């Protein structure tokens, strides 16, 4: 348990930051699921639209270092390949 005022404050800040990070990581997972769901639905135009919005979200979360940039890039690459390989 934190004994000094500084340590108590840092514990509060860490808790708030952890909550924020978890929320953003959840947004990332949801964005990826939305793209996968659009791909499974079979509508290429809709999948491309969802993919574009998700890419900006993935990039912003990687820029904030919530997830590693290579992980974000890997997700983007795999989703892009899946969208491109859809039948028109």
């Amino acid at each position: 348990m934190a004994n000094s005022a500084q340590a108590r404050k840092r514990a509060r800040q860490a808790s708030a930051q952890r909550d924020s990070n978890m929320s953003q990581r959840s947004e990332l997972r949801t964005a990826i699921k939305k793209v996968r769901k659009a791909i499974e639905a079979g509508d290429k135009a809709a999948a491309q639209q969802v993919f574009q919005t998700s890419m900006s979200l993935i990039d912003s979360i990687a820029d904030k270092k919530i997830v590693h940039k290579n992980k974000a890039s890997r997700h983007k690459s795999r989703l892009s390949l899946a969208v491109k390989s859809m039948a028109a």
Side-chain angles (χ1 to χ4, degrees):
M1 184 62 205
N3 289 323
S4 66
Q6 176 188 8
R8 284 191 293 272
K9 181 177 179 179
R10 288 301 298 157
R12 287 195 309 270
Q13 289 175 326
S15 178
Q17 190 63 46
R18 185 172 57 251
D19 291 342
S20 174
N21 289 349
M22 285 192 304
S23 174
Q24 290 183 350
R25 200 170 289 122
S26 176
E27 279 184 54
L28 171 75
R29 292 188 196 113
T30 303
I32 292 168
K33 286 176 192 174
K34 283 182 183 177
V35 176
R36 288 192 183 134
K37 193 171 185 177
I39 291 168
E40 288 175 13
D43 186 4
K44 188 168 185 173
Q48 286 174 330
Q49 180 65 35
V50 174
F51 175 72
Q52 287 301 320
T53 57
S54 295
M55 289 310 96
S56 63
L57 181 81
I58 291 171
D59 282 334
S60 76
I61 289 174
D63 288 342
K64 294 173 190 171
K65 299 182 178 160
I66 306 297
V67 295
H68 196 275
K69 61 181 176 139
N70 291 358
K71 178 177 178 154
S73 182
R74 183 175 63 244
H75 281 299
K76 287 170 34 180
S77 178
R78 289 179 181 171
L79 290 174
S80 175
L81 180 66
V83 169
K84 287 179 182 177
S85 66
M86 288 178 70

